[in-house]
Amino acid sequence: MSAHHESILREPLITGDNITYAKITNDVLDPVENKPNKAWWIGFTIAAIGALIWVVAVSYTFWTGIGAWGLNKTVGWAWDITGFVWWVGIGHAGTLISAILLLFRQNWRNSINRSAEAMTIFAVICAATYVVSHMGRPWLAYFCLPLPNQFGSLWVNFNSPLIWDVFAISTYFSVSLVFWYTGLLPDIASIRDRATGLRRRIYSILSFGWNGSVKTWQRFESVSLILAGVSTPLVLSVHTIVSMDFATSLEPGWHTTIFPPYFVAGAIFSGFAMVQTLLLVVRKVMGFENYITMFHIESMNKIILVTGSIVGVAYLTEFFIAWYSGSEYEQYTFLNRFIGPYWWAGCMMYGCNVLMTQLMWFKKIRTSIPASWALSIVVNIGMWFERFVIIVISLHRDYIPSSWAMFYPTVVDAAVFIGSIGVFFTLFLLFLRVLPAIAMAEVKLLLKGASHQAKKKLIAENKVDPEQVQYYKQSLVKFDSVPEAETV
Amino acid sequence: MGTHSHQTHNFSAQFDFSGKPKTWSLIAMVIGVIAVLYGFLLDPSEFHGERTFANLLLMGYYFTCVCAAGAFFLAIQYVAQAGWSAGLLRIPQAFSKVLPIASVILVLICAAGLFFHHNVIEDGKQVEVPFLYKHWATHGLADPQSEHYDPIIAAKSAFLNIPFFLGRLVIFLAIYSILAAMLVKFSENEDLNGGLSNYKKSFTYSTIFLVLFGFTTPVWAFDVVMSLEAHWFSTMFGWYNFAAMWVSGLCAMTVIIILMKRAGYLTWINQNHLHDLGKLIFAFSIFWTYVWFAQFLLIWYANMSEETVYFYKRWEPEFKPWFWLNIVINFVAPVLLLMSRDSKRKESSLLFVAILLLLGHWLDYYIMIMPGTVGAEGRGFGITEIGIAIGFVGLFTFLVLNALSKTSLVPKNHPFLDESLHHQI
């Protein structure tokens, strides 16, 4: 939409007075160009300890084999695949924000896409570590690539969804990385232009010679659009194929046709929750209140509500069809989620993902920062339990009661999981130090049309309908970054 | 507020429903009636009654789905606070106005199909079965004393029984119709009174509509279509039908918009709006394929007999070419024809693809409905199929154009109208 005709009803995407292009650069680059503060160091230390735990736990697994985990004959897949799917799911929000919201011309994506994409990349890295570590003999990881027969006659089984996964996730990772990096180019060039010495040389190389000419911008725009078009089906494909790891089997609770879109919706749901978890903190600690506004927070909460409800429809459909199918194995699987020994996990899954997110219907909760943050954590937990429930509860009691068993995680299981969270935060905190957490160049595009100061100017010029102005001002009440005097 | 553009468009002009569109839609309706009469009375084939009912169900369902998709579009635009579409909202509003009529027709078809019976020979025995939903509504299927007893159907009979089935259908369609009518009413009140109160109400009721619609449409599809083969089940089926409904609804809107533009109306709808509609059609055709493929792949891969039976029937020689043609029309065609920016912005190419997809989704429903009703032996494509389809197209055109002629063609006080008029991509 052309900024000139943007309705006054639309809430501002940038708040604050006297925001200039220069001020945006200064604000966003502040953490990159200055020494880290105490909060960062505390966070980094904790995260790095977590990463260290991960290194120890994974090394131990490599050394002793996956017998170090709590797996058994019946439950041969548990926390490893739960963690893998959880991380891949989280890795969906970034590309959704950068690609799908770009295609839908949702300008509010501009101030959250950068960190969401970075988060995506780190989450996919965490997921990949599970793939490698659960191989048992990770030095043979190349076996899942279609290599020539000189490597032996063991050819890749292209009928296996696990192989599809290798291709889907590596493609997704590559495209996400390219998308993220292309978006970074103008911002890296800004850092370069302000830097001196070695720092300037490094950012100069990283900026690929970006010179800000009209031509570079044109190419930038068209490559973004093409990458958005390419990544949109990729976002869907990744979790679709992850879901097929389960749904192609004969396992009750796994084999159901709704799995692909249901997993994709769940992935977006959990991804947005993680973006919310991170950005609410980043916004506060780094002072980005004017760029990541209450409108952004509320919009993300709305997406969490919508995707949570889509997941809810899928849950209900599964329950209904399990009954409708008349298959006693299907029926027992779903009943077992509530009456079996893992009933508490089932309650966590349905309670956190469906019931708790319904709280987002209340505007007071959607626009409260502490409540949003708490709910985002609830969703993160709920989505972990969803995977645990689907994987472990389905496996532990399936067709033959004589092979029923329980799964108990070992310390190593727990350490790998907690450690992966450490790895994720370590990478994210390092990212905040070296690259701008907000896409400055893209946010600047919004300054003239979609900022609060531009709207105030329009109101001052008396060019807009007074009733709409009133509506606009009322919508600002929830904004913590707009002074109360301007909201009535 | 960009007053310059207001001078070039005549916002108070109303659509004049007369002349050729009126004549032709009436003729089409007459053709439809003749085809129904032919199907019931004159068609010499053994399956003629069931075949006519199957076609009535197909078109009744298609008709209702397209109208419901219009209401869904309307609600989505309000909830998403979309600006680009404000100038074309009267088209989905016309669909919404027709939704109650379509709903009544669908309910009547289902009720008549369940109520009227005929005799068929099954395993050498004569069985009295209803014209529609014979796989669960035949008398005695749920009765252990009966010779027709079927334990699988009996287990579902708490859900698949005539009163509950018709009750659900009526309640769902009533909810959609009433909420859709409210959205239309708010928009018309907005024309008269201006202000934002109607806009705010539209937002609230759109949200309610979407929640109810989202939670109930899968059941609607399970009932009307999936239960034709009552043993079979697929969790994806609801969303698969939703995707078909959404694509065909978008196509129907696009066709009407382009034809209205050609008749000199809707001057404020330009290439940019068509481009957006084209993108939605393109994207959701791929989404439809995605859902179709995921359902197919998972059933094919797991190869469980109670699931594969669905595709087994569709791979019999009578259906197999149609089965693959469905993918060619609904996936390959839009992907190839709508990929480029130019083809989405050109009226003629977009119109062609939209009509092609409307035909394609008829075929999609045909593949869903026919194997579970007339089956491979009774499958046909002739006067009954073509005539009934033409009849419903005529009915839809007549009712929608008639609804469009009642109000001005633009919601002139819509707060985002100015954004829509200056929409540029």
Side-chain angles (χ1 to χ4, degrees):
Chain A
M1 78 201 65
S2 71
H4 285 299
H5 294 279
E6 181 173 307
S7 165
I8 188 76
L9 295 184
R10 297 199 184 278
E11 291 167 22
L13 300 176
I14 301 172
T15 56
D17 293 313
N18 307 319
I19 305 275
T20 57
Y21 292 145
K23 182 165 162 47
I24 294 176
T25 314
N26 288 333
D27 285 353
V28 174
L29 290 187
D30 182 63
V32 180
E33 292 175 336
N34 296 298
K35 289 257 183 299
N37 57 16
K38 215 165 136 192
W40 187 88
W41 275 116
I42 294 170
F44 186 74
T45 312
I46 296 169
I49 292 171
L52 208 65
I53 293 176
W54 180 84
V55 170
V56 172
V58 169
S59 308
Y60 182 78
T61 304
F62 284 176
W63 191 257
T64 55
I66 49 174
W69 298 345
L71 306 176
N72 55 48
K73 243 180 0 190
T74 303
V75 186
W77 243 11
W79 274 36
D80 50 340
I81 192 83
T82 303
F84 162 73
V85 180
W86 189 67
W87 280 118
V88 173
I90 288 170
H92 270 61
T95 310
L96 183 102
I97 290 172
S98 46
I100 297 180
L101 295 187
L102 177 71
L103 294 181
F104 279 112
R105 291 189 302 274
Q106 297 295 305
N107 291 338
W108 58 275
R109 70 179 266 289
N110 291 14
S111 42
I112 54 170
N113 61 358
R114 173 68 43 75
S115 16
E117 285 171 50
M119 180 216 77
T120 286
I121 288 163
F122 305 143
V124 176
I125 290 173
C126 285
T129 63
Y130 277 100
V131 175
V132 176
S133 61
H134 100 303
M135 285 176 174
R137 280 179 283 176
W139 47 92
L140 297 179
Y142 62 84
F143 267 34
C144 55
L145 301 174
L147 294 164
N149 270 0
Q150 288 90 312
F151 278 82
S153 55
L154 189 63
W155 193 249
V156 171
N157 180 6
F158 284 106
N159 285 336
S160 163
L162 298 176
I163 285 305
W164 309 343
D165 240 354
V166 172
F167 292 109
I169 293 175
S170 52
T171 312
Y172 179 67
F173 180 76
S174 322
V175 172
S176 299
L177 193 67
V178 171
F179 205 162
W180 178 64
Y181 199 80
T182 322
L184 270 166
L185 288 175
D187 288 0
I188 293 177
S190 302
I191 304 177
R192 171 199 67 196
D193 295 344
R194 292 156 60 103
T196 51
L198 178 66
R199 197 179 153 80
R200 188 183 175 93
R201 274 194 69 79
I202 293 171
Y203 280 101
S204 177
I205 293 166
L206 292 177
S207 71
F208 289 2
W210 177 277
N211 58 16
S213 68
V214 176
K215 202 72 211 169
T216 51
W217 278 110
Q218 276 176 352
R219 288 183 182 132
F220 179 79
E221 295 271 324
S222 43
V223 86
S224 302
L225 211 56
I226 290 169
L227 282 174
V230 171
S231 355
T232 301
L234 270 179
V235 183
L236 271 87
S237 82
V238 173
H239 232 60
T240 293
I241 287 170
V242 169
S243 82
M244 287 175 181
D245 292 344
F246 307 103
T248 49
S249 71
L250 303 178
E251 189 73 17
W254 288 12
H255 176 68
T256 178
T257 50
I258 207 171
F259 253 37
Y262 148 45
F263 264 49
V264 172
I268 295 166
F269 175 59
S270 65
F272 265 90
M274 187 56 101
V275 174
Q276 195 78 285
T277 308
L278 293 176
L279 283 186
L280 287 175
V281 178
V282 167
R283 169 183 196 266
K284 184 81 196 153
V285 174
M286 299 199 162
F288 289 157
E289 281 97 339
N290 281 332
Y291 309 113
I292 300 170
T293 68
M294 189 49 80
F295 175 72
H296 296 89
I297 297 169
E298 196 186 356
S299 299
M300 286 195 275
N301 281 338
K302 284 177 182 172
I303 291 186
I304 292 173
L305 175 59
V306 170
T307 47
S309 302
I310 292 175
V311 168
V313 174
Y315 289 164
L316 289 175
T317 309
E318 277 193 324
F319 279 119
F320 172 70
I321 295 288
W323 172 80
Y324 181 88
S325 72
S327 155
E328 58 177 322
Y329 302 109
E330 286 285 332
Q331 291 170 351
Y332 177 73
T333 295
F334 287 94
L335 218 54
N336 188 36
R337 290 184 181 179
F338 291 107
I339 60 163
Y342 287 114
W343 61 271
W344 45 272
C347 292
M348 285 298 278
M349 164 188 181
Y350 294 103
C352 292
N353 293 341
V354 182
L355 297 182
M356 291 299 279
T357 42
Q358 300 308 314
L359 290 173
M360 298 270 196
W361 283 109
F362 301 102
K363 197 180 175 88
K364 271 231 159 64
I365 291 179
R366 282 204 303 272
T367 55
S368 144
I369 291 174
S372 300
W373 196 78
L375 279 175
S376 77
I377 298 286
V378 165
V379 172
N380 285 323
I381 295 172
M383 285 307 286
W384 188 87
F385 273 100
E386 182 196 286
R387 279 62 176 254
F388 178 80
V389 165
I390 292 174
I391 294 158
V392 174
I393 301 192
S394 302
L395 282 177
H396 93 121
R397 287 184 172 182
D398 59 3
Y399 295 104
I400 308 170
S402 62
S403 67
W404 286 5
M406 292 293 287
F407 167 79
Y408 300 104
T410 62
V411 178
V412 183
D413 272 313
V416 171
F417 176 61
I418 294 166
S420 71
I421 299 175
V423 171
F424 176 78
F425 279 98
T426 308
L427 291 169
F428 191 77
L429 286 165
L430 286 174
F431 152 75
L432 292 179
R433 298 285 316 136
V434 293
L435 291 167
I438 288 180
M440 296 182 284
E442 290 177 53
V443 168
K444 286 174 188 170
L445 295 173
L446 305 174
L447 188 60
K448 293 277 190 245
S451 66
H452 181 47
Q453 61 188 26
K455 294 193 181 248
K456 274 200 290 191
K457 202 171 139 219
L458 215 65
I459 296 169
E461 288 166 356
N462 256 337
K463 280 185 180 165
V464 273
D465 176 54
E467 193 188 351
Q468 299 197 357
V469 171
Q470 199 51 38
Y471 181 96
Y472 171 71
K473 285 187 172 171
Q474 274 165 5
S475 74
L476 297 178
V477 173
K478 66 184 181 205
F479 279 64
D480 57 347
S481 53
V482 174
E484 245 175 87
E486 289 173 20
T487 61
V488 232
Chain B
M1 287 266 284
T3 42
H4 58 280
S5 61
H6 291 218
Q7 291 150 7
T8 53
H9 304 296
N10 181 3
F11 283 162
S12 52
Q14 272 184 264
F15 175 62
D16 174 29
F17 183 38
S18 60
K20 273 189 190 167
K22 196 166 198 166
T23 319
W24 282 107
S25 52
L26 286 169
I27 291 173
M29 279 150 74
V30 173
I31 292 174
V33 173
I34 293 170
V36 173
L37 293 174
Y38 169 83
F40 279 129
L41 306 173
L42 299 172
D43 184 1
S45 81
E46 186 196 334
F47 296 88
H48 64 103
E50 198 173 13
R51 180 172 163 191
T52 313
F53 261 112
N55 276 291
L56 284 170
L57 179 72
L58 192 167
M59 284 313 295
Y61 181 61
Y62 196 173
F63 178 30
T64 317
C65 281
V66 167
C67 293
F72 182 72
F73 182 89
L74 195 58
I76 286 269
Q77 303 310 305
Y78 279 109
V79 169
Q81 290 165 311
W84 71 279
S85 57
L88 54 83
L89 286 185
R90 283 286 135 92
I91 315 293
Q93 283 174 11
F95 286 26
S96 307
K97 281 182 178 175
V98 181
L99 180 57
I101 304 170
S103 304
V104 170
I105 292 172
L106 178 62
V107 171
L108 287 178
I109 291 169
C110 290
L114 286 164
F115 182 74
F116 292 110
H117 287 66
H118 65 141
N119 289 318
V120 294
I121 308 292
E122 217 168 74
D123 303 328
K125 277 179 291 184
Q126 204 178 47
V127 188
E128 196 195 3
V129 298
F131 279 103
L132 290 175
Y133 306 109
K134 62 184 175 196
H135 290 291
W136 59 265
T138 298
H139 191 69
L141 283 176
D143 176 9
Q145 314 307 326
S146 163
E147 53 176 338
H148 306 309
Y149 178 65
D150 180 334
I152 295 176
I153 300 300
K156 302 181 191 207
S157 62
F159 182 75
L160 290 180
N161 61 71
I162 294 173
F164 192 26
F165 175 89
L166 288 177
R168 280 194 303 272
L169 193 60
V170 169
I171 289 170
F172 290 171
L173 294 175
I175 291 172
Y176 307 159
S177 300
I178 291 167
L179 286 167
M182 288 174 78
L183 292 179
V184 174
K185 195 78 215 149
F186 294 143
S187 179
E188 289 177 1
N189 287 345
E190 187 183 65
D191 275 12
L192 298 174
N193 308 325
L196 285 172
S197 66
N198 285 296
Y199 172 74
K200 289 179 197 163
K201 277 191 265 180
S202 300
F203 183 90
T204 312
Y205 282 92
S206 295
T207 318
I208 297 170
F209 175 86
L210 289 179
V211 171
L212 294 173
F213 193 76
F215 276 90
T216 55
T217 43
V219 184
W220 183 24
F222 293 156
D223 277 346
V224 177
V225 186
M226 196 171 88
S227 80
L228 288 169
E229 284 155 89
H231 285 106
W232 184 77
F233 53 89
S234 165
T235 39
M236 184 74 108
F237 203 81
W239 287 352
Y240 168 47
N241 269 255
F242 167 77
M245 158 179 4
W246 184 224
V247 171
S248 47
L250 289 167
C251 289
M253 279 174 51
T254 307
V255 169
I256 290 182
I257 288 169
I258 292 176
L259 294 181
M260 296 269 288
K261 268 184 76 63
R262 288 193 174 170
Y265 298 99
L266 301 176
T267 49
W268 52 90
I269 302 294
N270 57 39
Q271 284 182 331
N272 298 292
H273 303 94
L274 293 182
H275 189 176
D276 270 349
L277 284 167
K279 282 194 277 191
L280 286 172
I281 293 172
F282 177 78
F284 283 97
S285 288
I286 295 173
F287 177 74
W288 172 88
T289 316
Y290 164 68
V291 174
W292 182 94
F293 178 73
Q295 175 172 277
F296 176 73
L297 177 92
L298 291 175
I299 289 175
W300 171 80
Y301 197 111
N303 203 13
M304 294 159 96
S305 51
E306 73 253 39
E307 290 182 349
T308 46
V309 61
Y310 183 81
F311 291 108
Y312 179 84
K313 284 188 200 162
R314 282 148 185 84
W315 272 14
E316 293 200 70
E318 289 84 356
F319 284 108
K320 204 168 184 178
W322 300 89
F323 178 82
W324 290 117
L325 183 65
N326 185 15
I327 297 301
V328 173
I329 298 186
N330 289 321
F331 172 61
V332 181
V335 165
L336 295 181
L337 298 174
L338 281 188
M339 179 76 87
S340 86
R341 172 185 157 92
D342 289 351
S343 63
K344 287 187 280 263
R345 293 175 78 86
K346 224 168 76 184
E347 274 181 19
S348 54
S349 55
L350 190 59
L351 182 66
F352 175 76
V353 176
I355 292 174
L356 188 69
L357 284 172
L358 284 170
L359 296 173
H361 283 287
W362 177 87
L363 180 60
D364 189 22
Y365 290 127
Y366 181 81
I367 298 290
M368 285 187 223
I369 288 171
M370 293 303 164
T373 51
V374 291
E377 320 86 75
R379 191 203 70 81
F381 182 71
I383 298 175
T384 319
E385 281 73 23
I386 299 170
I388 291 177
I390 290 176
F392 271 93
V393 171
L395 182 66
F396 174 77
T397 315
F398 184 88
L399 292 172
V400 167
L401 292 184
N402 188 48
L404 274 173
S405 70
K406 303 288 186 219
T407 47
S408 73
L409 288 171
V410 72
K412 62 177 180 192
N413 290 325
H414 193 293
F416 292 135
L417 184 62
D418 205 45
E419 283 188 9
S420 180
L421 297 177
H422 296 90
H423 181 51
Q424 195 185 12
I425 44 172

